[in-house]
Amino acid sequence: MRSLNLLILVLLVSFLSGCSVETEAKRDCNIRVGIVFDIGGKNDRSFNAAAWEGVKRAERDLGICLYDIEPGNPTSIEPAMRAFAERNFDLVIGVGFAQGPLMKKVARDFPNVNFAIVDGVIFEDDGKTPKRNVASLVFREHEGSYLVGMIAAAKSKTGVVGFVGGMDIPLIHRFKTGYEEGARAINPNIRVIENYVGVTDAAWNNPGKGKELALSQIEKGADVIFTAAGNSGLGAFDAVEQYGRDENGEARKYVIGVDSNQNGVKPGFVLTSMVKRVDNAVYEVVREVLERRFQGGIHSFGLDKDGVAYAMDENNKGLIPDEVIRKVEEAKQGIISGRIKVTDAMAK
């Protein structure tokens, strides 16, 4: 009973942090939106951070009342979802595929509540029909990963590039496969070293292990490392920075960020970032609820919808030659048109 009371207290604190008491008392929110992060938390500067940016933008632009919960451990995720649903929130968002089975149970118990899950697909009990009250927001990560693979291979001086994944699961294999195919489009003989942080949820929040794996890859010759590991990936940023700059002031080793634009995390050491526009996808589903046009089912975002991209800004514009950008842009159009087929490692 004590643990239940503690949970209620934590939820209430989170509710009040997401919307002022005055606003709640006036009930002048257009809609109420609750978001449940995975254990990496909303400040992971990656996947969760992108979702947070999307709902915060919706709060600014659309006049919603926003509430968030950072569970801290997997056992707290389902109670957090249920707390929002029991209060009849207009939209409950879960961040991360691991929340899929939990959201399926909660969505079944609250059929009149709208849900959205990032990176997961939730079906009815037949296993085939997308659940009508859940918007499944998925991304064609392999398409964006192909483009950053091309950039990695073009930049590499050793002919060896690395990939550090979070959990060793099909979703992360999708990043790795696209990355490898893009790299081989530039250099058919390139060597790709892959490692994964772990096989449990803890794999997303272990930057020490991420750094250890990145350093091991560098010792084996990798001079560009793509990380798709959530907060764990930040360890790879530290690893490349550890090798410093050459006599011309250029980084000796590079990292490629993921999900959010991470070019500014270690300026000059980040070659680019494979951006998943989780922020746009989350913002759009909030707007759909507000405009009463919410639709459950699968919402897929690829290069054609700017759902994935490679990031260019003032932090990396001098690191990638114009000729490489030209080739990457040609490949982008080729993927959109269907001329270039990138393997989807999750396709059945």
Side-chain angles (χ1 to χ4, degrees), residues 96-302:
F97 74 95
Q99 297 191 18
L102 303 176
M103 182 172 283
K104 182 174 182 177
K105 291 195 295 181
V106 179
R108 182 191 299 128
D109 293 343
F110 295 90
N112 296 319
V113 174
N114 299 318
F115 294 83
I117 185 165
V118 179
D119 264 1
V121 178
I122 298 180
F123 295 99
E124 299 287 356
D125 292 337
D126 63 8
K128 297 178 182 179
T129 307
K131 200 153 186 63
R132 73 166 184 84
N133 65 326
V134 181
S136 298
L137 311 179
V138 295
F139 299 82
R140 297 196 292 277
E141 295 93 350
H142 49 299
E143 295 180 357
S145 297
Y146 185 98
L147 302 185
V148 301
M150 292 179 67
I151 292 171
K155 190 69 174 181
S156 177
K157 296 177 180 178
T158 64
V160 181
V161 297
F163 176 82
V164 174
M167 283 182 72
D168 189 357
I169 53 174
L171 174 63
I172 302 305
H173 297 168
R174 177 187 275 170
F175 286 83
K176 181 264 176 181
T177 301
Y179 175 65
E180 184 170 15
E181 289 185 357
R184 295 197 188 286
I186 296 294
N187 177 3
N189 298 315
I190 200 160
R191 180 184 172 204
V192 180
I193 304 172
E194 62 178 301
N195 294 106
Y196 299 87
V197 176
V199 294
T200 68
D201 285 345
W204 305 116
N205 199 26
N206 189 348
K209 182 66 172 181
K211 181 176 181 179
E212 176 187 323
L213 294 175
L215 289 173
S216 175
Q217 292 181 356
I218 290 171
E219 290 172 0
K220 295 175 183 177
D223 55 356
V224 182
I225 297 172
F226 178 30
T227 173
N231 198 41
S232 298
L234 295 177
F237 287 69
D238 293 335
V240 299
E241 185 183 44
Q242 185 171 308
Y243 278 78
R245 302 176 185 271
D246 62 20
E247 60 277 6
N248 298 316
E250 186 172 334
R252 292 187 171 90
K253 313 295 177 184
Y254 291 96
V255 67
I256 294 175
V258 75
D259 294 337
S260 297
N261 182 354
Q262 297 181 314
N263 293 358
V265 174
K266 302 280 186 183
F269 292 93
V270 188
L271 189 56
T272 186
S273 297
M274 202 296 281
V275 179
K276 283 171 58 172
R277 297 309 305 266
V278 175
D279 56 336
N280 288 347
V282 168
Y283 181 91
E284 182 58 28
V285 76
V286 172
R287 187 166 64 177
E288 288 172 2
V289 171
L290 177 64
E291 297 175 355
R292 303 190 187 284
R293 54 184 181 89
F294 172 87
Q295 288 188 328
I298 299 172
H299 302 241
S300 180
F301 302 88

Side-chain angles (χ1 to χ4, degrees), residues 63-78:
I64 69 170
C65 265
L66 173 63
Y67 308 85
D68 71 279
I69 296 177
E70 297 179 273
N73 63 74
T75 60
S76 301
I77 292 174
E78 184 177 343

Side-chain angles (χ1 to χ4, degrees), residues 48-86:
N48 287 273
W52 181 234
E53 169 56 31
V55 291
K56 289 295 288 183
R57 182 165 19 119
E59 183 183 39
R60 293 191 301 269
D61 296 351
L62 305 178
I64 69 170
C65 265
L66 173 63
Y67 308 85
D68 71 279
I69 296 177
E70 297 179 273
N73 63 74
T75 60
S76 301
I77 292 174
E78 184 177 343
M81 286 184 190
R82 288 189 179 276
F84 288 137
E86 287 167 357

